[in-house]
Coordinates of all heavy atoms in Angstrom, one line a residue:
M12 N -51.8 -46.2 -6.3 CA -52.5 -47.3 -5.6 C -54.0 -46.9 -5.4 O -54.3 -45.8 -4.9 CB -51.9 -47.5 -4.2 CG -52.4 -48.6 -3.4 SD -51.6 -48.8 -1.8 CE -50.3 -49.9 -2.2
T13 N -54.9 -47.8 -5.8 CA -56.3 -47.5 -5.7 C -56.7 -47.5 -4.2 O -56.0 -48.1 -3.4 CB -57.1 -48.5 -6.5 OG1 -57.0 -49.8 -5.9 CG2 -56.7 -48.5 -8.0
T14 N -57.9 -46.9 -4.0 CA -58.4 -46.9 -2.6 C -58.6 -48.3 -2.0 O -58.2 -48.6 -0.9 CB -59.7 -46.1 -2.5 OG1 -59.4 -44.8 -3.0 CG2 -60.2 -46.0 -1.1
S15 N -59.2 -49.2 -2.8 CA -59.5 -50.5 -2.3 C -58.2 -51.3 -2.1 O -58.1 -52.0 -1.1 CB -60.4 -51.3 -3.3 OG -59.8 -51.5 -4.5
T16 N -57.2 -51.1 -2.9 CA -55.9 -51.8 -2.7 C -55.2 -51.2 -1.5 O -54.7 -52.0 -0.7 CB -55.0 -51.5 -3.9 OG1 -55.7 -52.0 -5.1 CG2 -53.7 -52.3 -3.8
R17 N -55.3 -49.9 -1.3 CA -54.7 -49.3 -0.1 C -55.4 -49.8 1.2 O -54.7 -50.2 2.2 CB -54.8 -47.8 -0.1 CG -54.1 -47.1 1.0 CD -54.1 -45.6 0.8 NE -55.2 -45.0 0.3 CZ -56.3 -44.5 1.0 NH1 -56.3 -44.6 2.3 NH2 -57.3 -44.0 0.4
M18 N -56.7 -49.9 1.2 CA -57.5 -50.3 2.3 C -57.2 -51.8 2.6 O -57.1 -52.2 3.8 CB -59.0 -50.1 2.1 CG -59.4 -48.7 2.1 SD -59.1 -47.9 3.6 CE -60.2 -46.6 3.5
T19 N -57.1 -52.6 1.6 CA -56.7 -54.0 1.8 C -55.3 -54.1 2.4 O -55.1 -55.0 3.3 CB -56.8 -54.8 0.5 OG1 -58.1 -54.6 -0.1 CG2 -56.5 -56.2 0.6
A20 N -54.4 -53.3 1.9 CA -53.0 -53.4 2.5 C -53.0 -53.0 4.0 O -52.4 -53.6 4.8 CB -52.1 -52.5 1.7
V21 N -53.7 -51.9 4.3 CA -53.8 -51.4 5.7 C -54.5 -52.5 6.5 O -54.0 -52.8 7.6 CB -54.6 -50.1 5.7 CG1 -54.9 -49.7 7.2 CG2 -53.8 -49.0 5.1
W22 N -55.6 -53.1 6.0 CA -56.3 -54.1 6.8 C -55.3 -55.3 7.1 O -55.3 -55.8 8.2 CB -57.5 -54.6 6.0 CG -58.3 -55.7 6.7 CD1 -59.2 -55.5 7.7 CD2 -58.1 -57.1 6.5 NE1 -59.6 -56.8 8.1 CE2 -59.0 -57.7 7.4 CE3 -57.4 -57.8 5.6 CZ2 -59.1 -59.1 7.4 CZ3 -57.5 -59.2 5.6 CH2 -58.4 -59.8 6.5
T23 N -54.5 -55.7 6.1 CA -53.6 -56.8 6.3 C -52.6 -56.4 7.3 O -52.2 -57.3 8.2 CB -52.9 -57.1 4.9 OG1 -53.9 -57.4 3.9 CG2 -51.9 -58.3 5.0
V24 N -52.1 -55.2 7.3 CA -51.1 -54.8 8.4 C -51.8 -54.8 9.7 O -51.2 -55.2 10.7 CB -50.5 -53.4 8.0 CG1 -49.7 -52.8 9.2 CG2 -49.7 -53.4 6.8
L25 N -53.0 -54.4 9.8 CA -53.7 -54.4 11.1 C -53.9 -55.8 11.6 O -53.8 -56.1 12.8 CB -55.1 -53.7 10.9 CG -55.1 -52.2 10.8 CD1 -56.4 -51.6 10.4 CD2 -54.6 -51.5 12.0
V26 N -54.2 -56.7 10.7 CA -54.4 -58.1 11.2 C -53.0 -58.7 11.6 O -53.0 -59.3 12.7 CB -55.0 -59.0 10.0 CG1 -54.9 -60.5 10.3 CG2 -56.4 -58.6 9.7
A27 N -52.0 -58.4 10.9 CA -50.6 -58.8 11.3 C -50.3 -58.2 12.7 O -49.7 -58.9 13.5 CB -49.6 -58.4 10.2
A28 N -50.6 -56.9 12.9 CA -50.2 -56.3 14.1 C -51.0 -56.9 15.3 O -50.5 -57.0 16.4 CB -50.5 -54.8 14.0
T29 N -52.3 -57.3 15.0 CA -53.1 -57.9 16.0 C -52.4 -59.3 16.4 O -52.4 -59.6 17.6 CB -54.5 -58.1 15.5 OG1 -55.1 -56.8 15.2 CG2 -55.4 -58.9 16.5
C30 N -52.0 -60.0 15.4 CA -51.3 -61.3 15.7 C -50.0 -61.0 16.5 O -49.7 -61.8 17.4 CB -51.0 -62.0 14.4 SG -52.4 -62.6 13.5
V31 N -49.3 -60.0 16.2 CA -48.1 -59.7 16.9 C -48.4 -59.3 18.4 O -47.8 -59.8 19.3 CB -47.3 -58.5 16.3 CG1 -46.2 -58.0 17.2 CG2 -46.7 -59.0 15.0
S32 N -49.5 -58.6 18.6 CA -49.9 -58.2 19.9 C -50.3 -59.5 20.7 O -50.0 -59.6 21.9 CB -51.2 -57.3 19.9 OG -50.8 -56.1 19.3
W33 N -51.0 -60.4 20.0 CA -51.4 -61.6 20.7 C -50.2 -62.4 21.1 O -50.2 -63.0 22.2 CB -52.3 -62.4 19.8 CG -52.8 -63.7 20.4 CD1 -53.8 -63.8 21.3 CD2 -52.3 -65.0 20.2 NE1 -53.9 -65.1 21.7 CE2 -53.1 -65.9 21.0 CE3 -51.3 -65.5 19.3 CZ2 -52.8 -67.2 21.0 CZ3 -51.1 -66.9 19.3 CH2 -51.9 -67.7 20.1
V34 N -49.2 -62.5 20.2 CA -48.0 -63.3 20.6 C -47.3 -62.7 21.7 O -46.8 -63.3 22.6 CB -47.1 -63.5 19.3 CG1 -45.7 -64.0 19.7 CG2 -47.8 -64.4 18.3
L35 N -47.1 -61.3 21.7 CA -46.4 -60.6 22.8 C -47.1 -60.8 24.1 O -46.5 -60.9 25.1 CB -46.3 -59.2 22.4 CG -45.2 -58.8 21.4 CD1 -45.3 -57.3 21.0 CD2 -43.8 -59.2 21.9
G36 N -48.4 -60.7 24.1 CA -49.2 -60.8 25.3 C -49.6 -62.2 25.8 O -50.1 -62.3 26.9
A37 N -49.4 -63.2 25.0 CA -49.8 -64.5 25.3 C -49.0 -65.2 26.4 O -49.5 -66.1 27.1 CB -49.7 -65.4 24.1
T38 N -47.8 -64.7 26.7 CA -47.0 -65.3 27.8 C -47.4 -64.9 29.1 O -47.1 -65.5 30.1 CB -45.5 -65.0 27.5 OG1 -45.4 -63.6 27.7 CG2 -45.0 -65.4 26.2
H39 N -48.2 -63.8 29.2 CA -48.6 -63.2 30.5 C -47.5 -62.8 31.4 O -47.6 -62.7 32.6 CB -49.5 -64.2 31.3 CG -50.8 -64.5 30.5 ND1 -51.8 -63.6 30.3 CD2 -51.2 -65.6 29.9 CE1 -52.8 -64.1 29.6 NE2 -52.4 -65.3 29.3
R40 N -46.3 -62.6 30.8 CA -45.1 -62.1 31.5 C -44.9 -60.7 31.0 O -43.9 -60.4 30.4 CB -43.9 -63.0 31.3 CG -44.0 -64.3 31.9 CD -42.6 -65.0 31.7 NE -42.9 -66.3 31.3 CZ -42.0 -67.1 30.7 NH1 -40.9 -66.6 30.3 NH2 -42.3 -68.3 30.4
A41 N -45.8 -59.8 31.3 CA -45.8 -58.5 30.7 C -44.8 -57.6 31.5 O -45.1 -56.9 32.4 CB -47.1 -57.8 30.7
G42 N -43.5 -57.8 31.2 CA -42.5 -57.0 31.7 C -42.5 -55.6 31.1 O -43.4 -55.4 30.2
A43 N -41.6 -54.8 31.4 CA -41.6 -53.4 30.9 C -41.4 -53.4 29.4 O -42.1 -52.7 28.6 CB -40.6 -52.5 31.6
V44 N -40.5 -54.2 28.9 CA -40.3 -54.3 27.4 C -41.5 -54.8 26.7 O -41.9 -54.2 25.7 CB -39.0 -55.1 27.1 CG1 -38.8 -55.3 25.6 CG2 -37.8 -54.5 27.8
S45 N -42.1 -55.8 27.2 CA -43.3 -56.3 26.5 C -44.4 -55.3 26.6 O -45.1 -55.1 25.6 CB -43.8 -57.6 27.2 OG -42.9 -58.6 27.1
A46 N -44.6 -54.6 27.7 CA -45.7 -53.6 27.8 C -45.5 -52.5 26.8 O -46.4 -52.0 26.2 CB -45.7 -53.1 29.2
I47 N -44.2 -52.0 26.7 CA -43.9 -50.9 25.8 C -44.1 -51.4 24.3 O -44.6 -50.7 23.5 CB -42.5 -50.4 26.0 CG1 -42.6 -49.6 27.4 CG2 -42.1 -49.4 24.9 CD1 -41.2 -49.2 27.9
A48 N -43.7 -52.6 24.0 CA -43.9 -53.2 22.7 C -45.4 -53.3 22.4 O -45.8 -52.9 21.2 CB -43.2 -54.5 22.5
L49 N -46.2 -53.7 23.3 CA -47.6 -53.8 23.1 C -48.2 -52.4 22.9 O -49.1 -52.2 22.0 CB -48.3 -54.5 24.3 CG -48.1 -56.0 24.3 CD1 -48.6 -56.5 25.7 CD2 -48.9 -56.7 23.2
L50 N -47.8 -51.4 23.7 CA -48.2 -50.0 23.5 C -47.9 -49.5 22.1 O -48.7 -48.9 21.4 CB -47.6 -49.1 24.5 CG -48.3 -49.1 25.9 CD1 -47.4 -48.3 26.9 CD2 -49.6 -48.5 25.8
A51 N -46.7 -49.8 21.6 CA -46.2 -49.4 20.3 C -47.1 -50.0 19.2 O -47.6 -49.3 18.3 CB -44.8 -49.7 20.1
V52 N -47.4 -51.3 19.3 CA -48.2 -51.9 18.3 C -49.6 -51.3 18.4 O -50.2 -51.1 17.3 CB -48.2 -53.4 18.5 CG1 -49.3 -54.1 17.7 CG2 -46.9 -54.0 18.3
A53 N -50.2 -51.1 19.6 CA -51.5 -50.6 19.7 C -51.6 -49.2 19.1 O -52.6 -48.9 18.3 CB -51.9 -50.5 21.2
F54 N -50.6 -48.3 19.3 CA -50.8 -47.0 18.7 C -50.4 -46.9 17.3 O -50.9 -46.0 16.6 CB -50.0 -46.0 19.6 CG -50.9 -45.6 20.8 CD1 -50.9 -46.3 22.0 CD2 -51.7 -44.5 20.7 CE1 -51.7 -45.9 23.0 CE2 -52.5 -44.1 21.7 CZ -52.5 -44.8 22.9
V55 N -49.6 -47.9 16.7 CA -49.5 -47.9 15.3 C -50.9 -48.3 14.7 O -51.3 -47.7 13.7 CB -48.4 -49.0 14.9 CG1 -48.5 -49.4 13.4 CG2 -47.0 -48.5 15.2
K56 N -51.6 -49.2 15.3 CA -52.9 -49.6 14.9 C -53.9 -48.4 15.0 O -54.7 -48.1 14.0 CB -53.4 -50.7 15.7 CG -52.7 -52.0 15.3 CD -53.1 -53.2 16.2 CE -54.5 -53.5 16.2 NZ -54.8 -54.7 17.1
V57 N -53.8 -47.6 16.1 CA -54.6 -46.4 16.2 C -54.4 -45.4 15.1 O -55.3 -44.9 14.5 CB -54.4 -45.7 17.6 CG1 -55.0 -44.3 17.6 CG2 -54.9 -46.6 18.7
R58 N -53.1 -45.2 14.8 CA -52.8 -44.3 13.7 C -53.3 -44.8 12.3 O -53.8 -44.0 11.6 CB -51.3 -44.1 13.6 CG -50.9 -43.0 12.6 CD -49.4 -42.7 12.7 NE -49.1 -41.6 11.9 CZ -48.7 -41.7 10.6 NH1 -48.7 -42.9 10.0 NH2 -48.5 -40.6 9.9
L59 N -53.1 -46.0 12.0 CA -53.6 -46.6 10.8 C -55.1 -46.5 10.6 O -55.6 -46.1 9.6 CB -53.1 -48.0 10.6 CG -51.6 -48.2 10.3 CD1 -51.3 -49.7 10.4 CD2 -51.3 -47.7 9.0
I60 N -55.8 -46.8 11.7 CA -57.2 -46.7 11.7 C -57.7 -45.3 11.5 O -58.6 -45.0 10.7 CB -57.8 -47.4 12.9 CG1 -57.6 -48.9 12.9 CG2 -59.3 -47.1 13.1 CD1 -57.9 -49.6 14.2
G61 N -57.1 -44.4 12.3 CA -57.4 -43.0 12.2 C -57.2 -42.4 10.8 O -58.1 -41.7 10.3
L62 N -56.0 -42.7 10.2 CA -55.7 -42.1 8.9 C -56.5 -42.7 7.8 O -56.9 -42.0 6.9 CB -54.2 -42.2 8.7 CG -53.3 -41.4 9.5 CD1 -51.8 -41.7 9.2 CD2 -53.5 -39.9 9.4
H63 N -56.7 -44.0 7.8 CA -57.2 -44.7 6.6 C -58.7 -45.0 6.7 O -59.4 -44.9 5.7 CB -56.4 -45.9 6.3 CG -55.0 -45.7 6.0 ND1 -54.6 -45.1 4.8 CD2 -53.9 -45.8 6.8 CE1 -53.3 -45.0 4.8 NE2 -52.8 -45.3 6.0
F64 N -59.2 -45.3 7.9 CA -60.6 -45.7 8.0 C -61.5 -44.6 8.6 O -62.7 -44.5 8.4 CB -60.8 -47.0 8.8 CG -60.2 -48.2 8.2 CD1 -58.9 -48.6 8.5 CD2 -60.8 -48.8 7.1 CE1 -58.3 -49.7 7.9 CE2 -60.2 -49.9 6.4 CZ -59.0 -50.3 6.8
M65 N -60.9 -43.7 9.3 CA -61.7 -42.5 9.9 C -61.4 -41.3 9.0 O -61.8 -40.2 9.4 CB -61.3 -42.3 11.3 CG -61.7 -43.5 12.2 SD -61.2 -43.3 13.9 CE -62.2 -42.0 14.4
E66 N -60.6 -41.4 8.0 CA -60.3 -40.4 7.0 C -59.7 -39.1 7.6 O -59.9 -38.0 7.1 CB -61.5 -40.1 6.2 CG -62.0 -41.3 5.5 CD -63.3 -41.0 4.6 OE1 -63.7 -39.9 4.6 OE2 -63.7 -42.0 4.0
I67 N -58.9 -39.2 8.6 CA -58.2 -38.1 9.2 C -57.1 -37.7 8.2 O -56.6 -36.5 8.2 CB -57.6 -38.4 10.6 CG1 -58.8 -38.6 11.6 CG2 -56.7 -37.3 11.1 CD1 -58.4 -39.0 12.9
R68 N -56.7 -38.6 7.4 CA -55.7 -38.3 6.3 C -56.1 -37.1 5.5 O -55.2 -36.3 5.1 CB -55.5 -39.5 5.5 CG -54.4 -39.5 4.5 CD -54.4 -40.9 3.9 NE -54.0 -40.7 2.6 CZ -53.7 -41.7 1.8 NH1 -53.7 -42.9 2.2 NH2 -53.3 -41.5 0.6
G69 N -57.3 -36.9 5.2 CA -57.8 -35.8 4.4 C -58.5 -34.7 5.2 O -59.1 -33.8 4.6
A70 N -58.4 -34.8 6.5 CA -59.0 -33.8 7.4 C -58.3 -32.5 7.3 O -57.1 -32.4 6.9 CB -59.1 -34.4 8.8
P71 N -58.8 -31.4 7.9 CA -58.1 -30.2 8.0 C -56.8 -30.4 8.8 O -56.7 -31.2 9.7 CB -59.1 -29.3 8.8 CG -60.4 -29.8 8.5 CD -60.2 -31.3 8.4
M72 N -55.8 -29.6 8.4 CA -54.5 -29.8 9.0 C -54.5 -29.7 10.5 O -53.8 -30.5 11.2 CB -53.5 -28.7 8.5 CG -52.1 -28.9 8.9 SD -51.4 -30.5 8.4 CE -51.3 -30.4 6.7
A73 N -55.3 -28.9 11.1 CA -55.3 -28.7 12.6 C -55.7 -30.1 13.2 O -55.1 -30.5 14.2 CB -56.2 -27.6 13.0
L74 N -56.7 -30.7 12.7 CA -57.2 -32.0 13.3 C -56.1 -33.0 13.1 O -55.9 -33.8 14.0 CB -58.5 -32.4 12.6 CG -59.1 -33.7 13.0 CD1 -59.4 -33.7 14.5 CD2 -60.3 -34.1 12.2
R75 N -55.5 -33.0 11.9 CA -54.5 -34.0 11.7 C -53.3 -33.8 12.7 O -52.7 -34.8 13.2 CB -54.0 -34.0 10.3 CG -52.8 -34.9 10.0 CD -53.1 -35.8 8.9 NE -51.9 -36.8 8.8 CZ -51.4 -37.2 7.7 NH1 -51.9 -36.8 6.5 NH2 -50.4 -38.0 7.7
V76 N -52.9 -32.6 12.9 CA -51.8 -32.3 13.8 C -52.1 -32.8 15.2 O -51.3 -33.4 15.9 CB -51.4 -30.8 13.8 CG1 -50.5 -30.4 14.9 CG2 -50.8 -30.5 12.4
V77 N -53.3 -32.5 15.7 CA -53.8 -32.9 17.0 C -53.8 -34.4 17.1 O -53.3 -35.0 18.1 CB -55.2 -32.3 17.3 CG1 -55.8 -32.9 18.6 CG2 -55.1 -30.8 17.5
F78 N -54.2 -35.1 16.1 CA -54.3 -36.5 16.1 C -52.8 -37.1 16.1 O -52.6 -38.0 16.9 CB -55.0 -37.0 14.8 CG -55.0 -38.5 14.7 CD1 -55.8 -39.3 15.5 CD2 -54.2 -39.2 13.8 CE1 -55.8 -40.7 15.4 CE2 -54.2 -40.5 13.6 CZ -55.0 -41.3 14.5
E79 N -51.9 -36.5 15.3 CA -50.6 -37.0 15.3 C -49.9 -36.8 16.7 O -49.1 -37.6 17.2 CB -49.8 -36.4 14.2 CG -50.2 -36.7 12.8 CD -50.0 -38.1 12.4 OE1 -49.3 -38.9 13.1 OE2 -50.4 -38.5 11.2
I80 N -50.1 -35.6 17.3 CA -49.6 -35.4 18.6 C -50.1 -36.4 19.6 O -49.4 -36.9 20.5 CB -49.9 -33.9 19.1 CG1 -49.1 -32.9 18.2 CG2 -49.6 -33.7 20.5 CD1 -49.4 -31.5 18.4
Y81 N -51.4 -36.7 19.6 CA -52.0 -37.7 20.4 C -51.4 -39.0 20.3 O -51.0 -39.7 21.3 CB -53.5 -37.7 20.1 CG -54.2 -38.9 20.8 CD1 -54.6 -38.8 22.1 CD2 -54.5 -40.1 20.1 CE1 -55.3 -39.9 22.7 CE2 -55.1 -41.2 20.7 CZ -55.5 -41.1 22.0 OH -56.1 -42.1 22.6
V82 N -51.2 -39.4 19.0 CA -50.6 -40.8 18.7 C -49.1 -40.9 19.2 O -48.7 -42.0 19.5 CB -50.7 -41.1 17.2 CG1 -49.9 -42.3 16.8 CG2 -52.1 -41.3 16.8
V83 N -48.5 -39.8 19.4 CA -47.1 -39.8 19.9 C -47.1 -39.6 21.4 O -46.4 -40.3 22.2 CB -46.2 -38.7 19.2 CG1 -44.9 -38.6 19.9 CG2 -46.1 -39.1 17.7
A84 N -47.9 -38.6 21.9 CA -47.8 -38.2 23.3 C -48.4 -39.3 24.3 O -47.8 -39.5 25.3 CB -48.6 -36.9 23.5
V85 N -49.5 -39.9 23.9 CA -50.1 -40.9 24.9 C -49.2 -42.1 25.1 O -49.0 -42.5 26.2 CB -51.5 -41.2 24.4 CG1 -52.1 -42.4 25.2 CG2 -52.4 -40.0 24.5
P86 N -48.8 -42.7 24.0 CA -47.9 -43.9 24.3 C -46.6 -43.5 24.9 O -46.0 -44.3 25.7 CB -47.7 -44.6 22.9 CG -48.0 -43.5 21.9 CD -49.0 -42.6 22.6
T87 N -46.1 -42.3 24.7 CA -44.9 -41.9 25.3 C -45.1 -41.7 26.8 O -44.3 -42.2 27.6 CB -44.4 -40.6 24.7 OG1 -44.1 -40.8 23.3 CG2 -43.1 -40.1 25.4
A88 N -46.2 -41.1 27.2 CA -46.5 -40.9 28.6 C -46.7 -42.2 29.3 O -46.3 -42.5 30.4 CB -47.7 -40.0 28.7
L89 N -47.5 -43.1 28.6 CA -47.7 -44.5 29.2 C -46.4 -45.3 29.3 O -46.2 -46.0 30.3 CB -48.7 -45.2 28.4 CG -50.2 -44.7 28.4 CD1 -51.0 -45.4 27.4 CD2 -50.7 -44.8 29.8
S90 N -45.5 -45.1 28.4 CA -44.2 -45.8 28.5 C -43.4 -45.3 29.6 O -42.8 -46.1 30.4 CB -43.5 -45.7 27.2 OG -44.1 -46.3 26.1
V91 N -43.4 -44.0 29.8 CA -42.7 -43.4 31.0 C -43.3 -44.0 32.3 O -42.6 -44.3 33.2 CB -42.7 -41.9 30.9 CG1 -42.3 -41.3 32.2 CG2 -41.9 -41.4 29.8
L92 N -44.6 -44.1 32.4 CA -45.2 -44.6 33.5 C -44.9 -46.1 33.8 O -44.6 -46.5 34.9 CB -46.8 -44.5 33.5 CG -47.3 -43.0 33.6 CD1 -48.8 -43.0 33.3 CD2 -47.0 -42.5 35.0
V93 N -44.8 -46.8 32.7 CA -44.4 -48.2 32.8 C -43.0 -48.4 33.3 O -42.7 -49.2 34.2 CB -44.6 -49.0 31.5 CG1 -43.9 -50.3 31.5 CG2 -46.1 -49.2 31.2
L94 N -42.1 -47.5 32.8 CA -40.7 -47.6 33.2 C -40.4 -47.1 34.6 O -39.5 -47.6 35.2 CB -39.9 -46.8 32.2 CG -39.8 -47.5 30.8 CD1 -39.0 -46.5 29.8 CD2 -39.1 -48.8 30.8
T95 N -41.3 -46.2 35.1 CA -41.0 -45.7 36.4 C -41.8 -46.4 37.5 O -41.6 -46.2 38.7 CB -41.4 -44.2 36.5 OG1 -42.8 -44.0 36.1 CG2 -40.5 -43.4 35.6
A96 N -42.7 -47.3 37.1 CA -43.5 -48.1 38.1 C -42.7 -49.2 38.7 O -41.7 -49.7 38.3 CB -44.7 -48.6 37.5

């Protein structure tokens, strides 16, 4: 897959994820399930942007590991907070 084709595919997924976020949040009934779903979509987008547009995909392994831990740990912590609130 060429770089421009990959970037276009990632961009398309990001646009679709933005639409999903909008639909999930449009009801303004952000219960725990909706909030966690929105967090999941947001951090999928964070990961895609980091790997493909900020080029963390080709960064040194230590930076990539820290980034991947961040992308898992932050939404997990926020989800726990949402569920315990």
Side-chain angles (χ1 to χ4, degrees):
M12 182 180 272
T13 66
T14 302
S15 63
T16 305
R17 181 173 42 88
M18 292 296 201
T19 302
V21 170
W22 179 82
T23 304
V24 170
L25 289 169
V26 170
T29 299
C30 293
V31 168
S32 296
W33 181 76
V34 168
L35 285 173
T38 63
H39 298 289
R40 289 187 225 159
V44 173
S45 295
I47 292 170
L49 286 168
L50 280 169
V52 171
F54 276 88
V55 165
K56 289 170 61 175
V57 166
R58 185 172 187 272
L59 287 172
I60 291 168
L62 292 178
H63 298 284
F64 294 101
M65 297 175 68
E66 299 180 3
I67 293 176
R68 189 175 145 170
M72 187 57 69
L74 178 60
R75 174 122 187 222
V76 167
V77 168
F78 177 72
E79 296 289 356
I80 290 170
Y81 169 81
V82 169
V83 172
V85 171
T87 300
L89 291 173
S90 295
V91 168
L92 289 173
V93 166
L94 290 173
T95 59

